[in-house]
Amino acid sequence: MAKVNITRDLIRRQIKERGALSFERRYHVTDPFIRRLGLEAELQGHSGCVNCLEWNEKGDLLASGSDDQHTIVWDPLHHKKLLSMHTGHTANIFSVKFLPHAGDRILITGAADSKVHVHDLTVKETIHMFGDHTNRVKRIATAPMWPNTFWSAAEDGLIRQYDLRENSKHSEVLIDLTEYCGQLVEAKCLTVNPQDNNCLAVGASGPFVRLYDIRMIHNHRKSMKQSPSSGVHTFCDRQKPLPDGAAQYYVAGHLPVKLPDYNNRLRVLVATYVTFSPNGTELLVNMGGEQVYLFDLTYKQRPYTFLLPRKCHSSGVQNGKMATNGVSNGLHLHSNGFRLPESRGHVSPQVELPPYLERVKQQANEAFACQQWTQAIQLYSKAVQRAPHNAMLYGNRAAAYMKRKWDGDHYDALRDCLKAISLNPCHLKAHFRLARCLFELKYVAEALECLDDFKGKFPEQAHSSACDALGRDITAALFSKNDGEEKKGAGGGGPVRLRSTSRKDSISEDEMVLRERSYDYQFRYCGHCNTTTDIKEANFFGSNAQYIVSGSDDGSFFIWEKETTNLVRVLQGDESIVNCLQPHPSYCFLATSGIDPVVRLWNPRPESEDLTGRVVEDMEGASQANQRRMNADPLEVMLLNMGYRITGLSSGGAGASDDEDNSEGQVQCRPS
């Protein structure tokens, strides 16, 4: 993290080299402020769950929407209710947005009654009512460049566009996800890039997040309408409703092939919230049933392609080389698998760590020796941020991930192993851990190939006890897999699943191509739980997006450092579930809401004030409990939501190894 010269910036502000607002936004969220963040006020007024919050551009108004079908506009700085009105909706309100450049006069709401309403706050009247969706409306999006236009995402799989300049009482379909993913797909969230208002991000059911170029879609539709052969067909009836290049997909690389496992555990993968960083170069996604992911839109990285289905390999292989279009993931693919970067025959010079980072690494090693895996990961991550070219740090962090075994840890470990190998092709432990990661991720054939590669590179280790043990595990898994396939071929494969032949009920070829071209995440943030509600948000906090915040099913909200992904603060924000977290546009001020019928305001508290009432001190314990919650069976989830906790969770988290004590836990009442 770059050093900050506050004195220099103060002088520049005084001589007006920079404006006061620029200075204010640069320093409105700092480490000391985060450490003193506490509850300032509770805004009372709703009679149901508060499902959405929205600041106006100046930050002097806060709007909220609730299950009670009312919207309230608050003066948050004075903790006053300025206006309360019934929206005309007949079901829960899920989204509320101020229309840009309308003088904070126009408010838009979307609700579970499938309706979108536009309200004039000056006269407390609903001036437009749109009923084109056929399922619950989950999110509204606006864009400063288009002050009369907005969009909605609904569970009918449609993204609709509205233009208030037109007299029509209908909207038009911008994107129809059912054309690609079948009738069961649901759109859950959307947002517009603040720096490029032509870029729209959409989250829906499944692990993929979609970026669309609105301009290309409109140009394509215009050309189709002008075509003499267009006939009476509408834009969305076309076989190609989206032109090539209008959509780009993003996904955490390990999730597509994990879908069957999650389905068996009744965990639904769905993007519950998407948002861009203030500078528009990053996309943050809260993945329901999983973790929070950050995607870098500038430096794009393909998922490690062997984690995609085998049939996807051929599309990216040309003459034995991976066609990456300038995008690399460190692997060289062949039609029959992959190979690692070749060793140069000598050990690459190791980048020496400065003394202070050497101490951090030593602290991480000590935490690892004490089986404090999360602490070790955080310390290694802190060192990696400051020494990003040190192979040993990546290799050590991979080992800690592999020991902790939380959801996604083995994939992060795999990424670290590949990074370590790219920095030092002779990194023996990284080569071996890579084979183990592949095995744990159930890529058994690839694990065997990687293990053989390891034995060839390091023949002196070919008959070590660890190598032999992994070889036995792989052989047993291959035998079990082959035996299961033989039984399935003989009629023992279980019930036959019927599948409709209708194009509407299956994934289209266009969708398959877009998924194959997905980009991987840059950072992953874990510790919270997002399985109970499908409106849970995650947001950037700070003008430079220094922090990430997200709510959780345990009633807490979590704050991470963006660059290190380290968890720095956990606060109790609701008696049940925190869904909404909306940072103020220019102050260190946070509004949260959830199941409780109140809006809570958080800011840095005075040194004299006691903060212990809302602080979750045992952050690692809370994170481990949430890992258990995400992997619990439906009965356990019900008990947890009733206020019970399940004891007996091993220190390894939800993914404890078979040789650890996995005895049944006891149910105990959670202390108040």
Side-chain angles (χ1 to χ4, degrees):
M1 186 177 294
K3 292 184 179 179
V4 175
N5 189 332
I6 298 180
T7 303
R8 178 197 63 199
D9 291 341
L10 278 169
I11 295 172
R12 287 180 175 177
R13 183 183 67 165
Q14 290 299 107
I15 63 176
K16 298 185 179 180
E17 183 178 335
R18 289 186 180 183
L21 182 60
S22 173
F23 177 88
E24 180 181 82
R25 292 190 174 181
R26 179 174 173 83
Y27 295 107
H28 80 271
V29 179
T30 62
D31 291 343
F33 284 174
I34 291 294
R35 288 194 292 270
R36 295 298 304 171
L37 199 68
L39 181 65
E40 176 183 293
E42 293 185 349
L43 305 181
Q44 309 275 352
H46 285 294
S47 60
C49 306
V50 181
N51 302 318
C52 46
L53 300 169
E54 173 76 1
W55 294 95
N56 67 339
E57 187 177 5
K58 293 180 182 177
D60 58 351
L61 298 177
L62 178 69
S64 58
S66 168
D67 283 0
D68 62 14
Q69 300 151 28
H70 283 72
T71 185
I72 297 179
V73 178
W74 310 86
D75 174 356
L77 302 180
H78 299 92
H79 312 155
K80 292 181 179 179
K81 183 197 302 183
L82 299 179
L83 178 150
S84 178
M85 65 175 289
H86 193 282
T87 58
H89 290 294
T90 57
N92 311 7
I93 299 173
F94 286 128
S95 188
V96 58
K97 281 284 183 182
F98 285 103
L99 191 67
H101 308 301
D104 303 325
R105 181 176 60 89
I106 303 299
L107 196 69
I108 308 162
T109 54
D113 60 3
S114 309
K115 304 291 194 301
V116 173
H117 290 180
V118 181
H119 315 278
D120 188 331
L121 299 180
T122 58
V123 293
K124 294 180 64 173
E125 288 184 0
T126 302
I127 56 177
H128 296 287
M129 300 175 66
F130 299 94
D132 301 317
H133 281 296
T134 58
N135 209 331
R136 301 192 301 176
V137 177
K138 302 309 291 286
R139 291 287 173 184
I140 304 294
T142 59
M145 189 173 75
W146 293 318
N148 297 293
T149 304
F150 63 93
W151 299 265
S152 61
E155 291 177 342
D156 56 8
L158 301 181
I159 307 300
R160 288 187 170 272
Q161 179 171 296
Y162 307 78
D163 190 338
L164 296 181
R165 294 171 299 183
E166 300 176 358
N167 294 325
S168 171
K169 294 184 179 180
H170 298 281
S171 60
E172 61 177 344
V173 175
L174 180 70
I175 302 160
D176 184 352
L177 294 178
T178 66
E179 289 287 327
Y180 288 84
C181 307
Q183 294 286 5
L184 298 181
V185 67
E186 297 178 346
K188 295 287 189 178
C189 50
L190 80 166
T191 186
V192 174
N193 190 320
Q195 300 301 321
D196 179 4
N197 290 175
N198 292 304
C199 183
L200 179 75
V202 175
S205 44
F208 296 90
V209 178
R210 299 151 171 90
L211 248 62
Y212 296 100
D213 189 325
I214 300 173
R215 182 176 42 201
M216 288 186 67
I217 296 174
H218 282 312
N219 290 342
H220 178 72
R221 177 172 56 186
K222 185 177 180 181
S223 66
M224 297 301 290
K225 283 184 177 180
Q226 292 174 349
S227 172
S229 60
S230 61
V232 296
H233 296 287
T234 64
F235 171 64
C236 288
D237 290 331
R238 295 267 161 201
Q239 288 186 347
K240 294 281 288 183
L242 291 176
D244 291 336
Q248 178 62 65
Y249 281 31
Y250 292 83
V251 69
H254 62 294
L255 289 185
V257 294
K258 293 287 287 182
L259 279 172
D261 291 343
Y262 288 150
N263 290 337
N264 291 337
R265 286 186 284 171
L266 302 179
R267 284 169 66 179
V268 178
L269 291 182
V270 54
T272 63
Y273 195 76
V274 291
T275 188
F276 290 96
S277 59
N279 64 7
T281 63
E282 297 167 325
L283 180 67
L284 190 68
V285 179
N286 200 340
M287 184 58 63
E290 249 279 333
Q291 322 283 3
V292 174
Y293 292 96
L294 184 143
F295 298 91
D296 189 330
L297 306 181
T298 303
Y299 178 75
K300 299 175 182 179
Q301 175 176 281
R302 297 286 187 197
Y304 299 103
T305 313
F306 54 77
L307 297 184
L308 295 175
R310 277 285 183 180
K311 63 181 179 180
C312 296
H313 285 178
S314 58
S315 64
V317 178
Q318 296 175 0
N319 300 323
K321 295 182 179 181
M322 186 64 188
T324 60
N325 296 322
V327 181
S328 174
N329 59 15
L331 287 176
H332 306 280
L333 297 186
H334 296 275
S335 58
N336 61 344
F338 72 95
R339 62 180 172 84
L340 293 167
E342 292 293 337
S343 173
R344 299 285 189 265
H346 60 86
V347 177
S348 298
Q350 182 60 47
V351 179
E352 280 196 23
L353 294 173
Y356 78 100
L357 285 185
E358 189 64 41
R359 289 192 294 271
V360 172
K361 189 193 79 171
Q362 187 58 39
Q363 292 171 0
N365 292 347
E366 292 170 0
F368 187 96
C370 296
Q371 300 186 10
Q372 298 171 343
W373 316 125
T374 298
Q375 184 178 349
I377 290 168
Q378 294 207 359
L379 288 166
Y380 287 132
S381 297
K382 181 179 178 181
V384 163
Q385 185 204 6
R386 291 165 173 79
H389 302 295
N390 187 284
M392 185 178 297
L393 293 175
Y394 290 101
N396 288 0
R397 187 171 65 176
Y401 277 131
M402 293 169 70
K403 288 290 187 180
R404 190 176 68 171
K405 302 179 183 178
W406 287 3
D407 288 336
D409 275 358
H410 275 105
Y411 186 66
D412 258 352
L414 178 144
R415 288 158 51 108
D416 274 353
C417 288
L418 289 169
K419 182 65 174 179
I421 293 169
S422 71
L423 293 169
N424 180 8
C426 294
H427 196 306
L428 183 150
K429 292 182 178 179
H431 277 279
F432 181 76
R433 288 168 185 155
L434 179 61
R436 170 58 72 176
C437 285
L438 287 167
F439 174 75
E440 295 293 344
L441 290 166
K442 299 183 179 179
Y443 291 96
V444 184
E446 289 85 351
L448 178 60
E449 191 176 346
C450 189
L451 184 61
D452 289 341
D453 181 80
F454 170 80
K455 291 178 180 179
K457 283 185 170 66
F458 307 99
E460 70 280 4
Q461 297 291 329
H463 299 291
S464 64
S465 58
C467 210
D468 288 342
L470 179 56
R472 288 193 297 270
D473 290 344
I474 292 174
T475 301
L478 285 171
F479 179 81
S480 175
K481 182 179 179 181
N482 292 335
D483 186 53
E485 288 177 352
E486 288 178 5
K487 289 182 178 179
K488 184 176 180 180
V496 176
R497 293 189 178 183
L498 299 178
R499 185 171 182 176
S500 170
T501 57
S502 169
R503 182 175 65 86
K504 289 279 188 177
D505 295 326
S506 61
I507 295 175
S508 69
E509 290 298 323
D510 289 339
E511 176 73 5
M512 289 299 297
V513 170
L514 288 168
R515 292 183 178 190
E516 289 174 23
R517 296 174 180 172
S518 296
Y519 291 116
D520 207 351
Y521 66 90
Q522 182 184 20
F523 296 127
R524 176 178 68 111
Y525 307 92
C526 50
H528 79 310
C529 180
N530 182 10
T531 59
T532 305
T533 57
D534 62 355
I535 56 173
K536 202 169 278 91
E537 299 175 351
N539 255 308
F540 294 95
F541 194 20
S543 56
N544 296 323
Q546 308 97 309
Y547 298 94
I548 304 297
V549 293
S550 174
S552 178
D553 288 346
D554 63 354
S556 303
F557 65 91
F558 288 65
I559 306 176
W560 298 270
E561 288 178 336
K562 187 189 78 172
E563 295 294 332
T564 65
T565 73
N566 288 345
L567 183 62
V568 295
R569 199 118 164 95
V570 181
L571 293 166
Q572 193 71 25
D574 195 275
E575 291 302 312
S576 181
I577 297 172
V578 177
N579 283 322
C580 306
L581 300 98
Q582 290 294 322
H584 190 277
S586 56
Y587 300 151
C588 187
F589 201 26
L590 186 69
T592 68
S593 66
I595 302 301
D596 295 342
V598 300
V599 177
R600 292 187 169 91
L601 303 177
W602 310 78
N603 68 5
R605 309 309 300 152
E607 292 287 343
S608 59
E609 187 172 317
D610 181 18
L611 298 178
T612 57
R614 288 278 177 175
V615 176
V616 178
E617 298 287 354
D618 184 8
M619 296 190 294
E620 184 173 351
S623 299
Q624 287 183 356
N626 280 331
Q627 283 292 308
R628 177 61 181 266
R629 182 186 292 265
M630 282 204 296
N631 288 276
D633 62 36
L635 175 60
E636 284 183 320
V637 173
M638 181 182 70
L639 291 171
L640 286 165
N641 291 338
M642 290 171 59
Y644 294 87
R645 62 183 175 88
I646 313 299
T647 63
L649 177 63
S650 72
S651 61
S657 60
D658 293 337
D659 57 350
E660 291 177 356
D661 181 13
N662 287 330
S663 57
E664 291 294 329
Q666 298 177 351
V667 178
Q668 297 182 356
C669 184
R670 181 176 61 189
S672 60

